[in-house]
PDB file of all heavy atoms in Angstrom:
ATOM      1  N   LEU A1055     121.692  83.785  97.051  1.00  0.00           N
ATOM      2  CA  LEU A1055     122.127  82.667  97.904  1.00  0.00           C
ATOM      3  C   LEU A1055     123.412  82.012  97.402  1.00  0.00           C
ATOM      4  O   LEU A1055     124.085  81.318  98.144  1.00  0.00           O
ATOM      5  CB  LEU A1055     121.027  81.607  98.020  1.00  0.00           C
ATOM      6  CG  LEU A1055     119.895  81.872  99.001  1.00  0.00           C
ATOM      7  CD1 LEU A1055     119.240  80.575  99.405  1.00  0.00           C
ATOM      8  CD2 LEU A1055     120.356  82.612 100.242  1.00  0.00           C
ATOM      9  N   ARG A1056     123.724  82.225  96.129  1.00  0.00           N
ATOM     10  CA  ARG A1056     124.950  81.635  95.577  1.00  0.00           C
ATOM     11  C   ARG A1056     126.186  82.048  96.362  1.00  0.00           C
ATOM     12  O   ARG A1056     127.147  81.284  96.457  1.00  0.00           O
ATOM     13  CB  ARG A1056     125.115  82.045  94.122  1.00  0.00           C
ATOM     14  CG  ARG A1056     125.056  80.891  93.146  1.00  0.00           C
ATOM     15  CD  ARG A1056     125.116  81.400  91.730  1.00  0.00           C
ATOM     16  NE  ARG A1056     126.480  81.720  91.329  1.00  0.00           N
ATOM     17  CZ  ARG A1056     127.398  80.806  91.066  1.00  0.00           C
ATOM     18  NH1 ARG A1056     127.111  79.537  91.167  1.00  0.00           N
ATOM     19  NH2 ARG A1056     128.608  81.154  90.702  1.00  0.00           N
ATOM     20  N   SER A1057     126.172  83.259  96.931  1.00  0.00           N
ATOM     21  CA  SER A1057     127.382  83.691  97.636  1.00  0.00           C
ATOM     22  C   SER A1057     127.565  82.928  98.947  1.00  0.00           C
ATOM     23  O   SER A1057     128.669  82.871  99.467  1.00  0.00           O
ATOM     24  CB  SER A1057     127.369  85.204  97.865  1.00  0.00           C
ATOM     25  OG  SER A1057     126.268  85.580  98.636  1.00  0.00           O
ATOM     26  N   VAL A1058     126.494  82.325  99.497  1.00  0.00           N
ATOM     27  CA  VAL A1058     126.692  81.488 100.689  1.00  0.00           C
ATOM     28  C   VAL A1058     126.657  80.004 100.364  1.00  0.00           C
ATOM     29  O   VAL A1058     127.116  79.192 101.154  1.00  0.00           O
ATOM     30  CB  VAL A1058     125.650  81.768 101.803  1.00  0.00           C
ATOM     31  CG1 VAL A1058     126.007  83.025 102.553  1.00  0.00           C
ATOM     32  CG2 VAL A1058     124.252  81.824 101.248  1.00  0.00           C
ATOM     33  N   ALA A1059     126.075  79.643  99.229  1.00  0.00           N
ATOM     34  CA  ALA A1059     125.903  78.214  98.933  1.00  0.00           C
ATOM     35  C   ALA A1059     126.283  77.924  97.486  1.00  0.00           C
ATOM     36  O   ALA A1059     125.510  77.318  96.748  1.00  0.00           O
ATOM     37  CB  ALA A1059     124.468  77.794  99.206  1.00  0.00           C
ATOM     38  N   SER A1060     127.466  78.379  97.096  1.00  0.00           N
ATOM     39  CA  SER A1060     127.820  78.234  95.679  1.00  0.00           C
ATOM     40  C   SER A1060     127.927  76.764  95.285  1.00  0.00           C
ATOM     41  O   SER A1060     127.665  76.399  94.151  1.00  0.00           O
ATOM     42  CB  SER A1060     129.121  78.966  95.376  1.00  0.00           C
ATOM     43  OG  SER A1060     130.105  78.534  96.262  1.00  0.00           O
ATOM     44  N   GLY A1061     128.272  75.897  96.253  1.00  0.00           N
ATOM     45  CA  GLY A1061     128.376  74.480  95.928  1.00  0.00           C
ATOM     46  C   GLY A1061     127.040  73.880  95.538  1.00  0.00           C
ATOM     47  O   GLY A1061     126.958  73.051  94.640  1.00  0.00           O
ATOM     48  N   ALA A1062     125.975  74.334  96.220  1.00  0.00           N
ATOM     49  CA  ALA A1062     124.658  73.772  95.960  1.00  0.00           C
ATOM     50  C   ALA A1062     123.962  74.459  94.799  1.00  0.00           C
ATOM     51  O   ALA A1062     122.983  73.957  94.268  1.00  0.00           O
ATOM     52  CB  ALA A1062     123.805  73.876  97.214  1.00  0.00           C
ATOM     53  N   LEU A1063     124.440  75.649  94.419  1.00  0.00           N
ATOM     54  CA  LEU A1063     123.775  76.432  93.380  1.00  0.00           C
ATOM     55  C   LEU A1063     124.738  76.750  92.244  1.00  0.00           C
ATOM     56  O   LEU A1063     125.459  77.737  92.315  1.00  0.00           O
ATOM     57  CB  LEU A1063     123.229  77.740  93.977  1.00  0.00           C
ATOM     58  CG  LEU A1063     122.071  77.637  94.959  1.00  0.00           C
ATOM     59  CD1 LEU A1063     121.854  78.968  95.659  1.00  0.00           C
ATOM     60  CD2 LEU A1063     120.812  77.218  94.236  1.00  0.00           C
ATOM     61  N   PRO A1064     124.761  75.942  91.201  1.00  0.00           N
ATOM     62  CA  PRO A1064     125.641  76.251  90.080  1.00  0.00           C
ATOM     63  C   PRO A1064     125.171  77.513  89.341  1.00  0.00           C
ATOM     64  O   PRO A1064     124.029  77.947  89.510  1.00  0.00           O
ATOM     65  CB  PRO A1064     125.501  75.017  89.180  1.00  0.00           C
ATOM     66  CG  PRO A1064     124.206  74.406  89.549  1.00  0.00           C
ATOM     67  CD  PRO A1064     123.977  74.722  90.993  1.00  0.00           C
ATOM     68  N   ALA A1065     126.041  78.071  88.530  1.00  0.00           N
ATOM     69  CA  ALA A1065     125.725  79.321  87.831  1.00  0.00           C
ATOM     70  C   ALA A1065     124.606  79.139  86.816  1.00  0.00           C
ATOM     71  O   ALA A1065     124.024  80.113  86.354  1.00  0.00           O
ATOM     72  CB  ALA A1065     126.970  79.871  87.143  1.00  0.00           C
ATOM     73  N   ASP A1066     124.315  77.880  86.444  1.00  0.00           N
ATOM     74  CA  ASP A1066     123.254  77.628  85.470  1.00  0.00           C
ATOM     75  C   ASP A1066     122.017  77.045  86.153  1.00  0.00           C
ATOM     76  O   ASP A1066     121.245  76.315  85.545  1.00  0.00           O
ATOM     77  CB  ASP A1066     123.760  76.679  84.387  1.00  0.00           C
ATOM     78  CG  ASP A1066     124.470  75.472  84.991  1.00  0.00           C
ATOM     79  OD1 ASP A1066     123.845  74.760  85.800  1.00  0.00           O
ATOM     80  OD2 ASP A1066     125.650  75.248  84.675  1.00  0.00           O
ATOM     81  N   TYR A1067     121.819  77.391  87.434  1.00  0.00           N
ATOM     82  CA  TYR A1067     120.749  76.791  88.214  1.00  0.00           C
ATOM     83  C   TYR A1067     119.377  77.031  87.588  1.00  0.00           C
ATOM     84  O   TYR A1067     118.541  76.153  87.551  1.00  0.00           O
ATOM     85  CB  TYR A1067     120.793  77.353  89.637  1.00  0.00           C
ATOM     86  CG  TYR A1067     119.955  76.598  90.633  1.00  0.00           C
ATOM     87  CD1 TYR A1067     120.294  75.308  91.002  1.00  0.00           C
ATOM     88  CD2 TYR A1067     118.839  77.179  91.209  1.00  0.00           C
ATOM     89  CE1 TYR A1067     119.534  74.607  91.915  1.00  0.00           C
ATOM     90  CE2 TYR A1067     118.071  76.481  92.125  1.00  0.00           C
ATOM     91  CZ  TYR A1067     118.421  75.196  92.473  1.00  0.00           C
ATOM     92  OH  TYR A1067     117.667  74.505  93.375  1.00  0.00           O
ATOM     93  N   THR A1068     119.136  78.252  87.111  1.00  0.00           N
ATOM     94  CA  THR A1068     117.876  78.537  86.408  1.00  0.00           C
ATOM     95  C   THR A1068     118.219  79.106  85.024  1.00  0.00           C
ATOM     96  O   THR A1068     119.333  79.588  84.823  1.00  0.00           O
ATOM     97  CB  THR A1068     117.008  79.559  87.169  1.00  0.00           C
ATOM     98  OG1 THR A1068     117.616  80.855  87.054  1.00  0.00           O
ATOM     99  CG2 THR A1068     116.864  79.202  88.631  1.00  0.00           C
ATOM    100  N   PRO A1069     117.282  79.053  84.067  1.00  0.00           N
ATOM    101  CA  PRO A1069     117.580  79.555  82.718  1.00  0.00           C
ATOM    102  C   PRO A1069     118.033  81.012  82.708  1.00  0.00           C
ATOM    103  O   PRO A1069     118.945  81.374  81.960  1.00  0.00           O
ATOM    104  CB  PRO A1069     116.247  79.400  81.986  1.00  0.00           C
ATOM    105  CG  PRO A1069     115.531  78.329  82.711  1.00  0.00           C
ATOM    106  CD  PRO A1069     115.948  78.438  84.144  1.00  0.00           C
ATOM    107  N   ASN A1070     117.409  81.849  83.550  1.00  0.00           N
ATOM    108  CA  ASN A1070     117.843  83.242  83.609  1.00  0.00           C
ATOM    109  C   ASN A1070     119.275  83.384  84.095  1.00  0.00           C
ATOM    110  O   ASN A1070     120.038  84.201  83.591  1.00  0.00           O
ATOM    111  CB  ASN A1070     116.921  84.031  84.553  1.00  0.00           C
ATOM    112  CG  ASN A1070     116.001  84.959  83.792  1.00  0.00           C
ATOM    113  OD1 ASN A1070     116.299  85.355  82.662  1.00  0.00           O
ATOM    114  ND2 ASN A1070     114.897  85.314  84.396  1.00  0.00           N
ATOM    115  N   MET A1071     119.623  82.577  85.107  1.00  0.00           N
ATOM    116  CA  MET A1071     120.999  82.631  85.615  1.00  0.00           C
ATOM    117  C   MET A1071     121.973  82.153  84.547  1.00  0.00           C
ATOM    118  O   MET A1071     123.072  82.692  84.397  1.00  0.00           O
ATOM    119  CB  MET A1071     121.129  81.768  86.875  1.00  0.00           C
ATOM    120  CG  MET A1071     120.378  82.324  88.070  1.00  0.00           C
ATOM    121  SD  MET A1071     120.321  81.145  89.439  1.00  0.00           S
ATOM    122  CE  MET A1071     122.016  81.185  90.027  1.00  0.00           C
ATOM    123  N   TYR A1072     121.539  81.146  83.799  1.00  0.00           N
ATOM    124  CA  TYR A1072     122.380  80.617  82.728  1.00  0.00           C
ATOM    125  C   TYR A1072     122.619  81.683  81.666  1.00  0.00           C
ATOM    126  O   TYR A1072     123.771  81.919  81.252  1.00  0.00           O
ATOM    127  CB  TYR A1072     121.691  79.390  82.118  1.00  0.00           C
ATOM    128  CG  TYR A1072     122.503  78.623  81.109  1.00  0.00           C
ATOM    129  CD1 TYR A1072     123.872  78.438  81.269  1.00  0.00           C
ATOM    130  CD2 TYR A1072     121.892  78.047  79.991  1.00  0.00           C
ATOM    131  CE1 TYR A1072     124.606  77.725  80.339  1.00  0.00           C
ATOM    132  CE2 TYR A1072     122.614  77.322  79.060  1.00  0.00           C
ATOM    133  CZ  TYR A1072     123.973  77.177  79.240  1.00  0.00           C
ATOM    134  OH  TYR A1072     124.698  76.466  78.317  1.00  0.00           O
ATOM    135  N   ALA A1073     121.555  82.376  81.255  1.00  0.00           N
ATOM    136  CA  ALA A1073     121.700  83.441  80.262  1.00  0.00           C
ATOM    137  C   ALA A1073     122.616  84.537  80.783  1.00  0.00           C
ATOM    138  O   ALA A1073     123.475  85.048  80.055  1.00  0.00           O
ATOM    139  CB  ALA A1073     120.325  84.025  79.908  1.00  0.00           C
ATOM    140  N   PHE A1074     122.455  84.869  82.070  1.00  0.00           N
ATOM    141  CA  PHE A1074     123.295  85.908  82.668  1.00  0.00           C
ATOM    142  C   PHE A1074     124.765  85.486  82.650  1.00  0.00           C
ATOM    143  O   PHE A1074     125.649  86.264  82.271  1.00  0.00           O
ATOM    144  CB  PHE A1074     122.835  86.171  84.105  1.00  0.00           C
ATOM    145  CG  PHE A1074     123.516  87.341  84.753  1.00  0.00           C
ATOM    146  CD1 PHE A1074     123.039  88.627  84.576  1.00  0.00           C
ATOM    147  CD2 PHE A1074     124.642  87.144  85.540  1.00  0.00           C
ATOM    148  CE1 PHE A1074     123.663  89.710  85.168  1.00  0.00           C
ATOM    149  CE2 PHE A1074     125.271  88.226  86.137  1.00  0.00           C
ATOM    150  CZ  PHE A1074     124.784  89.511  85.952  1.00  0.00           C
ATOM    151  N   ALA A1075     125.018  84.227  83.037  1.00  0.00           N
ATOM    152  CA  ALA A1075     126.400  83.740  83.060  1.00  0.00           C
ATOM    153  C   ALA A1075     126.988  83.714  81.651  1.00  0.00           C
ATOM    154  O   ALA A1075     128.140  84.106  81.442  1.00  0.00           O
ATOM    155  CB  ALA A1075     126.452  82.346  83.693  1.00  0.00           C
ATOM    156  N   LEU A1076     126.185  83.255  80.675  1.00  0.00           N
ATOM    157  CA  LEU A1076     126.678  83.214  79.297  1.00  0.00           C
ATOM    158  C   LEU A1076     127.064  84.609  78.825  1.00  0.00           C
ATOM    159  O   LEU A1076     128.108  84.793  78.178  1.00  0.00           O
ATOM    160  CB  LEU A1076     125.600  82.648  78.360  1.00  0.00           C
ATOM    161  CG  LEU A1076     125.366  81.153  78.402  1.00  0.00           C
ATOM    162  CD1 LEU A1076     124.132  80.792  77.584  1.00  0.00           C
ATOM    163  CD2 LEU A1076     126.591  80.409  77.853  1.00  0.00           C
ATOM    164  N   ALA A1077     126.244  85.596  79.150  1.00  0.00           N
ATOM    165  CA  ALA A1077     126.513  86.949  78.669  1.00  0.00           C
ATOM    166  C   ALA A1077     127.676  87.585  79.413  1.00  0.00           C
ATOM    167  O   ALA A1077     128.591  88.130  78.792  1.00  0.00           O
ATOM    168  CB  ALA A1077     125.262  87.816  78.804  1.00  0.00           C
ATOM    169  N   PHE A1078     127.663  87.493  80.748  1.00  0.00           N
ATOM    170  CA  PHE A1078     128.606  88.312  81.502  1.00  0.00           C
ATOM    171  C   PHE A1078     129.843  87.555  81.980  1.00  0.00           C
ATOM    172  O   PHE A1078     130.838  88.180  82.303  1.00  0.00           O
ATOM    173  CB  PHE A1078     127.882  88.992  82.669  1.00  0.00           C
ATOM    174  CG  PHE A1078     126.821  89.932  82.191  1.00  0.00           C
ATOM    175  CD1 PHE A1078     125.477  89.594  82.229  1.00  0.00           C
ATOM    176  CD2 PHE A1078     127.181  91.161  81.639  1.00  0.00           C
ATOM    177  CE1 PHE A1078     124.514  90.461  81.758  1.00  0.00           C
ATOM    178  CE2 PHE A1078     126.221  92.038  81.159  1.00  0.00           C
ATOM    179  CZ  PHE A1078     124.883  91.680  81.213  1.00  0.00           C
ATOM    180  N   SER A1079     129.778  86.229  82.043  1.00  0.00           N
ATOM    181  CA  SER A1079     131.002  85.508  82.423  1.00  0.00           C
ATOM    182  C   SER A1079     131.729  84.972  81.198  1.00  0.00           C
ATOM    183  O   SER A1079     132.939  84.869  81.189  1.00  0.00           O
ATOM    184  CB  SER A1079     130.689  84.346  83.362  1.00  0.00           C
ATOM    185  OG  SER A1079     129.961  84.792  84.466  1.00  0.00           O
ATOM    186  N   TYR A1080     130.961  84.599  80.169  1.00  0.00           N
ATOM    187  CA  TYR A1080     131.600  83.965  79.020  1.00  0.00           C
ATOM    188  C   TYR A1080     131.512  84.797  77.743  1.00  0.00           C
ATOM    189  O   TYR A1080     131.972  84.365  76.696  1.00  0.00           O
ATOM    190  CB  TYR A1080     130.981  82.581  78.778  1.00  0.00           C
ATOM    191  CG  TYR A1080     131.073  81.687  80.001  1.00  0.00           C
ATOM    192  CD1 TYR A1080     129.959  81.441  80.782  1.00  0.00           C
ATOM    193  CD2 TYR A1080     132.295  81.135  80.387  1.00  0.00           C
ATOM    194  CE1 TYR A1080     130.041  80.645  81.918  1.00  0.00           C
ATOM    195  CE2 TYR A1080     132.391  80.346  81.516  1.00  0.00           C
ATOM    196  CZ  TYR A1080     131.264  80.099  82.268  1.00  0.00           C
ATOM    197  OH  TYR A1080     131.352  79.326  83.398  1.00  0.00           O
ATOM    198  N   SER A1081     130.852  85.970  77.841  1.00  0.00           N
ATOM    199  CA  SER A1081     130.722  86.859  76.674  1.00  0.00           C
ATOM    200  C   SER A1081     130.155  86.164  75.442  1.00  0.00           C
ATOM    201  O   SER A1081     130.471  86.529  74.319  1.00  0.00           O
ATOM    202  CB  SER A1081     132.062  87.505  76.316  1.00  0.00           C
ATOM    203  OG  SER A1081     132.486  88.318  77.362  1.00  0.00           O
ATOM    204  N   GLN A1082     129.327  85.151  75.645  1.00  0.00           N
ATOM    205  CA  GLN A1082     128.666  84.507  74.501  1.00  0.00           C
ATOM    206  C   GLN A1082     127.311  85.175  74.274  1.00  0.00           C
ATOM    207  O   GLN A1082     126.270  84.622  74.593  1.00  0.00           O
ATOM    208  CB  GLN A1082     128.456  83.024  74.781  1.00  0.00           C
ATOM    209  CG  GLN A1082     129.752  82.255  74.888  1.00  0.00           C
ATOM    210  CD  GLN A1082     129.487  80.762  74.926  1.00  0.00           C
ATOM    211  OE1 GLN A1082     128.483  80.290  74.388  1.00  0.00           O
ATOM    212  NE2 GLN A1082     130.372  80.022  75.545  1.00  0.00           N
ATOM    213  N   PHE A1083     127.366  86.387  73.719  1.00  0.00           N
ATOM    214  CA  PHE A1083     126.143  87.180  73.653  1.00  0.00           C
ATOM    215  C   PHE A1083     125.097  86.577  72.721  1.00  0.00           C
ATOM    216  O   PHE A1083     123.906  86.659  72.989  1.00  0.00           O
ATOM    217  CB  PHE A1083     126.469  88.627  73.278  1.00  0.00           C
ATOM    218  CG  PHE A1083     127.104  89.368  74.404  1.00  0.00           C
ATOM    219  CD1 PHE A1083     128.475  89.583  74.433  1.00  0.00           C
ATOM    220  CD2 PHE A1083     126.341  89.812  75.467  1.00  0.00           C
ATOM    221  CE1 PHE A1083     129.068  90.240  75.495  1.00  0.00           C
ATOM    222  CE2 PHE A1083     126.920  90.477  76.529  1.00  0.00           C
ATOM    223  CZ  PHE A1083     128.280  90.695  76.552  1.00  0.00           C
ATOM    224  N   ASN A1084     125.539  85.977  71.631  1.00  0.00           N
ATOM    225  CA  ASN A1084     124.564  85.405  70.703  1.00  0.00           C
ATOM    226  C   ASN A1084     123.807  84.248  71.344  1.00  0.00           C
ATOM    227  O   ASN A1084     122.588  84.157  71.240  1.00  0.00           O
ATOM    228  CB  ASN A1084     125.252  84.925  69.418  1.00  0.00           C
ATOM    229  CG  ASN A1084     125.893  86.073  68.682  1.00  0.00           C
ATOM    230  OD1 ASN A1084     127.042  86.422  68.958  1.00  0.00           O
ATOM    231  ND2 ASN A1084     125.157  86.685  67.779  1.00  0.00           N
ATOM    232  N   TYR A1085     124.553  83.399  72.027  1.00  0.00           N
ATOM    233  CA  TYR A1085     123.901  82.253  72.651  1.00  0.00           C
ATOM    234  C   TYR A1085     123.060  82.699  73.855  1.00  0.00           C
ATOM    235  O   TYR A1085     121.967  82.173  74.090  1.00  0.00           O
ATOM    236  CB  TYR A1085     124.946  81.209  73.057  1.00  0.00           C
ATOM    237  CG  TYR A1085     124.341  79.867  73.417  1.00  0.00           C
ATOM    238  CD1 TYR A1085     123.337  79.306  72.623  1.00  0.00           C
ATOM    239  CD2 TYR A1085     124.766  79.168  74.532  1.00  0.00           C
ATOM    240  CE1 TYR A1085     122.769  78.088  72.953  1.00  0.00           C
ATOM    241  CE2 TYR A1085     124.211  77.942  74.866  1.00  0.00           C
ATOM    242  CZ  TYR A1085     123.209  77.412  74.074  1.00  0.00           C
ATOM    243  OH  TYR A1085     122.646  76.203  74.404  1.00  0.00           O
ATOM    244  N   ALA A1086     123.552  83.726  74.578  1.00  0.00           N
ATOM    245  CA  ALA A1086     122.768  84.263  75.695  1.00  0.00           C
ATOM    246  C   ALA A1086     121.440  84.818  75.185  1.00  0.00           C
ATOM    247  O   ALA A1086     120.387  84.614  75.808  1.00  0.00           O
ATOM    248  CB  ALA A1086     123.555  85.352  76.425  1.00  0.00           C
ATOM    249  N   ALA A1087     121.486  85.501  74.027  1.00  0.00           N
ATOM    250  CA  ALA A1087     120.250  86.034  73.448  1.00  0.00           C
ATOM    251  C   ALA A1087     119.310  84.888  73.080  1.00  0.00           C
ATOM    252  O   ALA A1087     118.090  84.978  73.283  1.00  0.00           O
ATOM    253  CB  ALA A1087     120.563  86.881  72.223  1.00  0.00           C
ATOM    254  N   THR A1088     119.876  83.791  72.566  1.00  0.00           N
ATOM    255  CA  THR A1088     119.051  82.630  72.220  1.00  0.00           C
ATOM    256  C   THR A1088     118.343  82.085  73.454  1.00  0.00           C
ATOM    257  O   THR A1088     117.140  81.796  73.420  1.00  0.00           O
ATOM    258  CB  THR A1088     119.926  81.508  71.615  1.00  0.00           C
ATOM    259  OG1 THR A1088     120.754  82.080  70.602  1.00  0.00           O
ATOM    260  CG2 THR A1088     119.069  80.401  71.033  1.00  0.00           C
ATOM    261  N   ILE A1089     119.100  81.941  74.542  1.00  0.00           N
ATOM    262  CA  ILE A1089     118.514  81.399  75.768  1.00  0.00           C
ATOM    263  C   ILE A1089     117.434  82.340  76.296  1.00  0.00           C
ATOM    264  O   ILE A1089     116.326  81.906  76.655  1.00  0.00           O
ATOM    265  CB  ILE A1089     119.618  81.185  76.844  1.00  0.00           C
ATOM    266  CG1 ILE A1089     120.636  80.143  76.375  1.00  0.00           C
ATOM    267  CG2 ILE A1089     119.009  80.791  78.185  1.00  0.00           C
ATOM    268  CD1 ILE A1089     120.121  78.733  76.319  1.00  0.00           C
ATOM    269  N   ALA A1090     117.738  83.659  76.323  1.00  0.00           N
ATOM    270  CA  ALA A1090     116.761  84.627  76.837  1.00  0.00           C
ATOM    271  C   ALA A1090     115.493  84.599  75.984  1.00  0.00           C
ATOM    272  O   ALA A1090     114.375  84.600  76.508  1.00  0.00           O
ATOM    273  CB  ALA A1090     117.355  86.033  76.858  1.00  0.00           C
ATOM    274  N   PHE A1091     115.664  84.557  74.679  1.00  0.00           N
ATOM    275  CA  PHE A1091     114.512  84.565  73.785  1.00  0.00           C
ATOM    276  C   PHE A1091     113.703  83.276  73.949  1.00  0.00           C
ATOM    277  O   PHE A1091     112.473  83.321  74.023  1.00  0.00           O
ATOM    278  CB  PHE A1091     114.977  84.740  72.335  1.00  0.00           C
ATOM    279  CG  PHE A1091     113.864  85.107  71.399  1.00  0.00           C
ATOM    280  CD1 PHE A1091     113.421  86.411  71.306  1.00  0.00           C
ATOM    281  CD2 PHE A1091     113.256  84.140  70.610  1.00  0.00           C
ATOM    282  CE1 PHE A1091     112.380  86.752  70.461  1.00  0.00           C
ATOM    283  CE2 PHE A1091     112.212  84.470  69.759  1.00  0.00           C
ATOM    284  CZ  PHE A1091     111.774  85.775  69.684  1.00  0.00           C
TER     285      PHE A1091
END
Side-chain angles (χ1 to χ4, degrees):
Chain A
L1055 280 203
R1056 244 175 80 73
S1057 60
V1058 282
S1060 53
L1063 292 168
D1066 48 57
Y1067 193 68
T1068 72
N1070 253 337
M1071 291 170 72
Y1072 187 38
F1074 187 85
L1076 284 171
F1078 297 103
S1079 306
Y1080 304 105
S1081 297
Q1082 294 190 28
F1083 287 101
N1084 297 87
Y1085 193 44
T1088 311
I1089 297 290
F1091 195 81

